[in-house]
């Protein structure tokens, strides 16, 4: 069984715990570490965990709201940390004391009972990766921080039963908002962040492909989106009630969700 919990999702910080249970074995993967270490410890405690229960860390890319305290946590708890070669270079190739594990597109690795498959995404970072996780039964896709849905992204998430999916902005709100023009171009461009409409199209395509049963909207912009807009876009695409669409809160994340 796979469960996951967003510890927080937005421009102020991102982290998600993915848990796999099989018999007596329990495994935890922490996807991104975009908070200070005291804050992350507090969020883990609120999730019913301690940091020493994390078996591996996966960093999607080098932006501060994702890398956060990754090195500090890894060294303190002796946790292996996975990231791409490009991400490692972008953060200055710090000494990780033997804990670094280089990940790349399509390279499978295991964290206890969890099989993880990273894949490349279009985003304005050095070598960004997102991922799917499976216990052989269900498959969770983590798809945040991408500017558009490439054919490769769609192929990688086609078999997912659950998606944690970026719904960063409403295009009309972004256009009418207070961001300066260069930032609007960056956020709304093909290497920036995913709008509700594109997220809805991706969810609809995955649903049509087969097994998708639930979606959690994530990485919502505080200035350029609203939870009700993300819910409406996804529920319309999936032909379900708006109450059936989950939303990760920027500050507090989400409850534990079974994938």
């Amino acid at each position: 069984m796979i469960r996951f919990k967003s510890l927080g999702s937005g421009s102020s910080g991102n982290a998600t715990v993915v848990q796999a249970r099989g018999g007596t074995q329990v495994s935890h993967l922490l996807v991104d570490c975009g908070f200070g270490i005291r804050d992350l410890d507090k969020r883990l405690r609120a999730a019913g965990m301690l940091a020493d229960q994390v078996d591996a860390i996966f960093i999607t890319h080098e932006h501060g709201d994702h890398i956060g305290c990754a090195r500090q946590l890894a060294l303190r708890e002796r946790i292996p940390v996975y990231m791409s070669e490009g991400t490692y270079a972008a953060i200055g190739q710090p000494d990780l004391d033997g804990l670094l594990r280089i990940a790349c597109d399509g390279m499978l690795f295991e964290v206890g009972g969890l099989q993880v498959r990273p894949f490349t995404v279009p985003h304005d970072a050095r070598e960004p990766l997102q991922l799917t996780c499976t216990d052989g039964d269900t498959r969770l896709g983590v798809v945040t921080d991408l500017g558009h849905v490439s054919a490769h992204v769609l192929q990688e998430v086609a078999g997912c039963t659950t998606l944690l999916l970026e719904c960063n902005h409403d295009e009309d709100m972004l256009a009418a908002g207070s961001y300066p023009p260069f930032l609007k171009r960056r956020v709304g461009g093909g290497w920036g962040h995913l709008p509700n409409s594109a997220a809805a199209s991706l969810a609809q395509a995955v649903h049509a492909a087969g097994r998708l049963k639930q979606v959690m909207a994530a990485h919502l912009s505080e200035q350029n989106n609203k939870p009700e807009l993300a819910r409406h876009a996804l529920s319309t695409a999936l032909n379900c009630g708006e109450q059936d669409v989950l939303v990760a809160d920027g500050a507090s994340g989400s409850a534990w969700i079974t994938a």
Side-chain angles (χ1 to χ4, degrees):
M1 182 182 78
I2 293 179
R3 297 196 307 162
F4 71 100
K5 175 179 171 56
S6 169
L7 303 181
S9 181
S11 58
S12 60
N14 297 271
T16 302
V17 179
V18 183
Q19 179 191 82
R21 287 181 176 268
T24 59
Q25 184 182 40
V26 182
S27 311
H28 294 99
L29 173 67
L30 180 61
V31 181
D32 286 329
C33 254
F35 300 99
I37 196 157
R38 290 183 181 179
D39 191 8
L40 184 69
D41 282 337
K42 180 180 177 181
R43 290 168 187 266
L44 286 170
R45 286 195 298 270
M49 290 180 60
L50 296 174
D52 64 6
Q53 292 176 270
V54 175
D55 297 291
I57 300 165
F58 183 93
I59 299 300
T60 60
H61 62 294
E62 70 269 18
H63 293 162
D65 58 329
H66 293 264
I67 191 74
C69 66
R71 180 176 181 270
Q72 189 177 0
L73 179 65
L75 292 175
R76 190 188 75 182
E77 304 294 343
R78 305 303 302 170
I79 304 170
V81 54
Y82 291 81
M83 66 182 75
S84 71
E85 189 77 62
T87 296
Y88 184 54
I91 63 172
Q93 298 179 317
D95 181 9
L96 287 167
D97 197 26
L99 296 167
L100 176 66
R101 307 288 185 269
I102 294 298
C104 62
D105 180 68
M107 183 201 81
L108 296 174
F109 65 91
E110 294 185 354
V111 178
L114 203 60
Q115 187 180 76
V116 182
R117 181 181 172 93
F119 57 91
T120 54
V121 297
H123 188 52
D124 57 355
R126 186 78 167 265
E127 189 186 348
L129 297 170
Q130 298 292 314
L131 67 155
T132 61
C133 305
T134 184
D135 60 355
D137 219 12
T138 59
R139 182 177 296 274
L140 167 67
V142 177
V143 194
T144 64
D145 291 74
L146 67 166
H148 68 275
V149 179
S150 65
H152 183 56
V153 168
L154 186 56
Q155 178 183 349
E156 290 294 323
V157 301
C160 287
T161 50
T162 298
L163 286 176
L164 178 65
L165 178 60
E166 178 172 49
C167 291
N168 178 259
H169 59 277
D170 172 81
E171 289 166 303
D172 291 336
M173 284 188 69
L174 178 65
S178 60
Y179 278 9
F182 80 91
L183 189 54
K184 289 182 180 182
R185 289 193 296 271
R186 183 248 164 185
V187 170
W191 297 88
H193 290 278
L194 211 61
N196 294 338
S197 58
S201 295
L202 173 59
Q204 187 175 51
V206 177
H207 184 260
R211 303 175 62 204
L212 185 67
K213 65 179 183 180
Q214 61 185 345
V215 177
M216 178 180 287
H219 215 306
L220 274 70
S221 168
E222 293 180 11
Q223 290 80 21
N224 301 305
N225 209 355
K226 296 180 180 180
E228 56 267 30
L229 294 176
R231 282 196 177 97
H232 178 72
L234 290 172
S235 64
T236 300
L238 297 172
N239 194 28
C240 66
E242 291 187 14
Q243 71 277 4
D244 297 321
V245 176
L246 307 169
V247 178
D249 182 73
S252 60
S254 73
W256 281 101
I257 304 296
T258 300

